Amino acid sequence: MSTPKGREITISVLKFNPKSAVSKPHFVDYKLEETPGMTLFIALSKIREELDADLSFDFVCRAGICGSCGMVVNGKPTLACRTLIANYPEGKLTLMPMPAFELIKDLSVNTGKWMDAMSKRVESWVHTNHKPDISKLEEKIDPDIADQTFELDRCIECGICVASCGTVLMRPDFVGPVGLNRVARFEVDPHDNRTADDFYELVGDDNGIFGCMSLMACEDHCPKHLPLQNKIAYLRRQLVALR
């Protein structure tokens, strides 16, 4: 008994190499057969292996953990490894690189460069005068506070919230949802001794917490479903009293 053929799908990719003097942005259509449970990552791998070895896109884990395979699919930023082809009944997908990041080639963008600059900008490390003593147990923390900290630490820095943010796209100096999430993470951490005034110095302007237009596409598209709306609102309430 023969196995029934899957439907034919069309994946249209915006290809461009900014390092090439002759390359110009253009779409290339790839047609392939859908297989059961096929994700966009599987489809792109098949395209690169069988149709176009020159196609560039990023991946590491294939499980929604590393955050490397972010791209814009039919106008919405998402992770390729968590995007099921079956969810597109028309069988047509248009892929573009995520905006706001430096383009490397085709669908590959340099999120690491952006995230590194953001991390330094918001001083993404615990600030404390306490000298740790590894011979003693760590200081106890209320479980609810620990859960709040760990919840925000689930961010995988995929850049999808940044690519979804209208403020970032209009004002590249905006710290972005991921930057505000990082500030919220350290604001709630009892190990960090910074005050509200200290955090105000970092993000208390229109390129920080007061620049967010509250469109909340960041939370809508976050693959980890982080509570970005609540945390941004919380930070704004905490810092607005200092204006």
Side-chain angles (χ1 to χ4, degrees):
M1 182 176 180
S2 61
T3 303
K5 283 191 65 176
R7 62 172 177 162
E8 182 181 78
I9 61 173
T10 301
I11 296 181
S12 184
V13 180
L14 180 61
K15 296 198 68 179
F16 176 53
N17 183 358
K19 295 182 180 179
S20 170
V22 297
S23 179
K24 295 183 179 180
H26 64 288
F27 282 97
V28 178
D29 290 345
Y30 304 97
K31 296 184 182 298
L32 63 158
E33 181 183 332
E34 182 183 8
T35 56
M38 177 181 272
T39 63
L40 180 55
F41 165 77
I42 294 173
L44 287 171
S45 297
K46 191 175 181 67
I47 290 171
R48 187 156 63 183
E49 291 171 4
E50 301 178 5
L51 302 175
D52 185 357
D54 182 63
L55 176 63
S56 293
F57 66 97
D58 298 319
F59 71 95
V60 177
C61 73
R62 304 191 301 174
I65 297 171
C66 72
S68 298
C69 62
M71 58 189 67
V72 177
V73 182
N74 289 5
K76 296 182 179 181
T78 187
L79 293 179
C81 68
R82 298 186 64 175
T83 300
L84 285 171
I85 300 298
N87 291 337
Y88 296 83
E90 296 183 356
K92 296 181 180 180
L93 293 84
T94 300
L95 313 184
M96 301 177 68
M98 291 194 298
F101 301 104
E102 177 186 339
L103 177 65
I104 297 175
K105 182 176 177 291
D106 301 338
L107 301 174
S108 179
V109 296
N110 195 342
T111 55
K113 180 179 179 181
W114 195 97
M115 294 295 174
D116 180 64
M118 176 278 298
S119 183
K120 293 174 181 175
R121 177 176 173 182
V122 301
E123 299 182 12
S124 182
W125 55 86
V126 172
H127 289 55
T128 179
N129 295 322
H130 175 70
K131 187 176 181 180
D133 185 350
I134 61 174
S135 67
K136 298 180 180 179
L137 292 175
E138 290 185 356
E139 185 177 344
K140 293 181 180 181
I141 300 176
D142 185 278
D144 290 338
I145 299 297
D147 286 344
Q148 291 179 45
T149 305
F150 295 149
E151 170 73 2
L152 301 182
D153 266 338
R154 292 194 303 108
C155 173
I156 57 176
E157 297 188 354
C158 59
I160 287 175
C161 67
V162 177
S164 305
C165 179
T167 307
V168 170
L169 299 183
M170 290 191 299
R171 296 210 312 271
D173 290 335
F174 181 58
V175 71
V178 64
L180 296 175
N181 178 75
R182 189 71 63 81
V183 171
R185 177 254 181 269
F186 286 100
E187 195 276 339
V188 76
D189 191 339
H191 293 107
D192 197 302
N193 298 145
R194 282 178 286 185
T195 66
D197 288 317
D198 296 324
F199 289 116
Y200 186 91
E201 289 298 316
L202 290 176
V203 294
D205 56 21
D206 287 341
N207 285 326
I209 191 63
F210 302 120
C212 173
M213 296 188 296
S214 301
L215 299 177
M216 304 322 301
C218 54
E219 182 168 324
D220 291 342
H221 295 106
C222 176
K224 292 300 180 181
H225 308 291
L226 295 179
L228 298 173
Q229 180 175 359
N230 288 341
K231 292 306 175 183
I232 290 173
Y234 168 77
L235 275 179
R236 183 172 285 167
R237 290 195 301 269
Q238 291 292 99
L239 301 184
V240 72
L242 302 177
R243 296 194 82 170

